[in-house]
Amino acid sequence: MFPIRDHNPSGRTPFVVYALMAANILIFFSYLGIMDDARLLNRFYFDYAIIPARISDGVAFETLLTSMFLHGGWMHLAGNMLFLWIFGDNLEDEMGHLPFLLFYLAAGIGAGLIHVVTAPDSVVPTIGASGAIAGVMGGYLLLFPKARVDILLILIVYFRVFTIPAFIMLGLWLAMQFLGSLASNPDEGGVAYWAHTGGFAVGLVLCIPLWLRRGGIDFWDRTHGHPPHPEHKYKLTQSRIPKVPRK
C-alpha cells in the first residue's frame, strides 16, 4: 500500500520541490557508474554518507547534508521522489519557497542527528532523502490532516486505488516506522527507521509556529483540515482491459 497522489494541487508552482527532485536525480546519475565497484562506492559513501561513529568523534558533520542527496538504487530514489512530489508542493505553497527549502534541510539534518544518537558507534553508511521527506510528511499531517490522498493497494494479484484522509495514511506510515525502530538494530544496516521517525517528529514540531500563526485549531476549522484552495476532482474511468468470462 503506497500513495500515488493527493487531491490538493498547490496554488503556485513548487519550484523548490522541483529543484530538490532534479538535484537528487542528477546526483544519483553522477555516481551511477560506480555502483558496481564496491571499492569506489565504499570510498564515496565514506566521504559523503552519514557514518554515525565519525560524527560521534566530532568529524564529517557536512555528511548530515550531503547524505540527503544520495540514494542506494532506483527504487530508493523513485520512492523518495514520489513522496516528495505528493506532499511537498502544498507545504511549499503554505510556507513560501525559501522557508520551505530551509525547513526541508533542517528536517533532514535533524533526522540524521537522531539516527546518530540512536547508533553512535555504528560504522554503517546511511544515505537518502527519507529523513527530510519524513519531515515534510510530519508538517503535512499537522497542517492538512484531512487532505484526500489516493492509495494504491496491491494484494498479490488484486490492485485497487482508493482515497483516504491524510491523517490515516500518514499515521499508519508513522506507526510502521516506529514499530520498525523498536524491532531493528541500526548497527546492522537496513532501513534507518529512527531517521524516518525522528524526521517526521522534527518536521511536525518545526511547523507548529506556522500552524499557530495561521490560527491553530481555527485554521483547521476554516479549511476543514484541507489545503486552503479548491480540491482537484479525479475521474475514474473504466479499464480498457477486456474481462475474461468464466464458465
Side-chain angles (χ1 to χ4, degrees):
M1 182 178 72
F2 57 91
I4 57 172
R5 64 191 177 194
D6 65 4
H7 289 238
N8 311 285
S10 58
R12 51 182 164 177
T13 304
F15 292 113
V16 174
V17 168
Y18 292 159
L20 289 170
M21 292 176 68
N24 278 278
I25 293 168
L26 291 174
I27 290 172
F28 178 74
F29 276 103
S30 74
Y31 65 91
L32 184 61
I34 66 171
M35 294 288 281
D36 294 328
D37 189 322
R39 183 182 61 83
L40 290 178
L41 190 62
N42 286 336
R43 182 66 209 183
F44 180 78
Y45 285 160
F46 181 83
D47 291 336
Y48 299 109
I50 291 175
I51 300 178
R54 297 186 70 205
I55 293 179
S56 298
D57 289 339
V59 298
F61 286 104
E62 71 280 0
T63 60
L64 292 168
L65 178 64
T66 58
S67 64
M68 295 165 52
F69 295 90
L70 307 180
H71 292 84
W74 290 102
M75 293 305 296
H76 189 199
L77 175 67
N80 277 345
M81 295 305 98
L82 174 64
F83 274 70
L84 177 58
W85 176 70
I86 292 173
F87 297 110
D89 60 338
N90 294 120
L91 218 55
E92 181 178 346
D93 193 9
E94 197 66 29
M95 291 181 172
H97 302 304
L98 181 58
F100 174 75
L101 175 61
L102 297 176
F103 163 83
Y104 178 91
L105 297 176
I109 292 171
L113 288 172
I114 290 172
H115 175 69
V116 171
V117 169
T118 60
D121 299 320
S122 174
V123 294
V124 178
T126 300
I127 58 173
S130 306
I133 295 169
V136 171
M137 294 163 67
Y140 192 100
L141 174 64
L142 178 63
L143 295 176
F144 318 121
K146 294 185 179 179
R148 287 156 52 86
V149 180
D150 283 348
I151 303 296
L152 175 61
L153 177 65
I154 302 175
L155 296 175
I156 307 177
V157 295
Y158 176 79
F159 298 79
R160 184 175 179 181
V161 175
F162 60 97
T163 304
I164 60 175
F167 75 89
I168 294 179
M169 182 263 144
L170 294 174
L172 287 173
W173 183 89
L174 179 61
M176 291 170 61
Q177 305 311 305
F178 182 70
L179 292 175
S181 301
L182 298 179
S184 66
N185 182 353
D187 291 321
E188 296 178 353
V191 178
Y193 287 109
W194 278 117
H196 294 177
T197 307
F200 193 100
V202 169
L204 191 151
V205 169
L206 289 177
C207 277
I208 289 177
L210 173 62
W211 178 67
L212 292 175
R213 287 198 303 272
R214 293 292 188 270
I217 300 295
D218 290 338
F219 175 70
W220 284 345
D221 291 338
R222 291 196 309 272
T223 63
H224 305 288
H226 293 256
H229 47 73
E231 178 180 277
H232 185 78
K233 302 294 184 181
Y234 291 105
K235 293 182 180 180
L236 298 179
T237 59
Q238 185 70 28
S239 171
R240 295 183 180 180
I241 302 174
K243 294 182 178 180
V244 179
R246 290 187 292 175
K247 294 182 180 179

